Amino acid sequence: SPRRTRGPIHWQRTSWDGTDSMSGTLMRVLSIFAALCLASCGEPLTQIVLQVNSDISMDDIGPVLITVRGPSDEVGVEYTANFARPGGPTGFPITLGLVLAEDAVGEMVSVEVVANEVDGFDTVAASARTNFVPGSTRELSLLLDTACIEIPCGSAETCRGGMCVNNLIDGDTLPVFSE
C-alpha cells in the first residue's frame, strides 16, 4: 500500500474494506510481521488508525475527501476515496493509518471527512480533533451519517445524529487498536 509523508504525519492505506487484496491472509501475515518487528525493533509506533464508515447507500455517495492536519494546523494528508474509480474502494470502511513523525512537535491532529452525494448537491461531513498517545496505536472511528446531510457545524464541532457537538476527543479515551 502507498505510504506518503508530508509534514509531521505519515499515512498508509491499510485497506479499503473486506474485499481488498490487503485483507485476509496477506493482512494477517503483515500484521504478525509488524508485531514481531515492533517487539524486536524497539518502541512501538505512535499511530492512529482512522476508520471511516457511512450509513449512506453506496449508490448515493460520491468521492470522500479525508483531510488530516497536524499540530500546527498544516495539511499533513489529503486523500480522496473515489468509489467510481477503477481500483478505488468498493465500500466502507475506509481505513488509513496515521503515524506521528519522530521529529514532530506536538501530538494533536485534526481529521475532517467530507462527501458529496452522487447528485453533487448534498454534503455530509464528520470531524475529530484528538491527540496521539505515545507508544500506542489507537482507533478513531468517524461516521458519515444520513442524519447529518446538509448540517453545517463549526470548525471545532462535528455532526452526530443530526446535531453539532464538540469534536475534541482525548486520545487516551480512544480504544486501543486491535485487528
Side-chain angles (χ1 to χ4, degrees), residues 74-122:
E74 77 283 0
V75 174
V77 175
E78 194 165 68
Y79 179 78
T80 301
N82 188 342
F83 298 107
R85 185 185 71 222
T90 57
F92 289 100
I94 300 170
T95 304
L96 293 177
L98 307 173
V99 180
L100 186 66
E102 291 177 23
D103 60 347
V105 177
E107 298 171 346
M108 286 299 293
V109 63
S110 65
V111 178
E112 182 180 38
V113 180
V114 178
N116 290 321
E117 288 196 287
V118 173
D119 64 14
F121 293 106
D122 295 326

Side-chain angles (χ1 to χ4, degrees), residues 28-87:
R28 282 190 289 279
V29 169
L30 290 175
S31 296
I32 292 169
F33 174 75
L36 290 173
C37 181
L38 289 175
S40 63
C41 298
E43 294 185 32
L45 290 176
T46 298
Q47 59 186 337
I48 294 173
V49 175
L50 172 63
Q51 297 268 352
V52 178
N53 281 295
S54 181
D55 62 354
I56 301 170
S57 164
M58 292 303 300
D59 294 331
D60 294 331
I61 200 162
V64 177
L65 176 64
I66 301 170
T67 305
V68 182
R69 296 181 181 278
S72 59
D73 205 35
E74 77 283 0
V75 174
V77 175
E78 194 165 68
Y79 179 78
T80 301
N82 188 342
F83 298 107
R85 185 185 71 222

Side-chain angles (χ1 to χ4, degrees), residues 53-56 124-125 143-149 159-162:
N53 281 295
S54 181
D55 62 354
I56 301 170
V124 62
L143 176 67
L144 295 173
D145 187 350
T146 54
C148 294
I149 293 173
C159 182
R160 288 194 195 114

Side-chain angles (χ1 to χ4, degrees), residues 101-171:
E102 291 177 23
D103 60 347
V105 177
E107 298 171 346
M108 286 299 293
V109 63
S110 65
V111 178
E112 182 180 38
V113 180
V114 178
N116 290 321
E117 288 196 287
V118 173
D119 64 14
F121 293 106
D122 295 326
T123 302
V124 62
S127 67
R129 293 175 297 135
T130 191
N131 58 288
F132 287 91
V133 178
S136 181
T137 299
R138 300 298 175 115
E139 183 175 340
L140 174 61
S141 296
L142 294 179
L143 176 67
L144 295 173
D145 187 350
T146 54
C148 294
I149 293 173
E150 291 302 312
I151 305 287
C153 295
S155 63
E157 297 178 316
T158 191
C159 182
R160 288 194 195 114
M163 298 182 61
C164 293
V165 297
N166 190 324
N167 70 358
L168 183 61
I169 302 169
D170 182 347

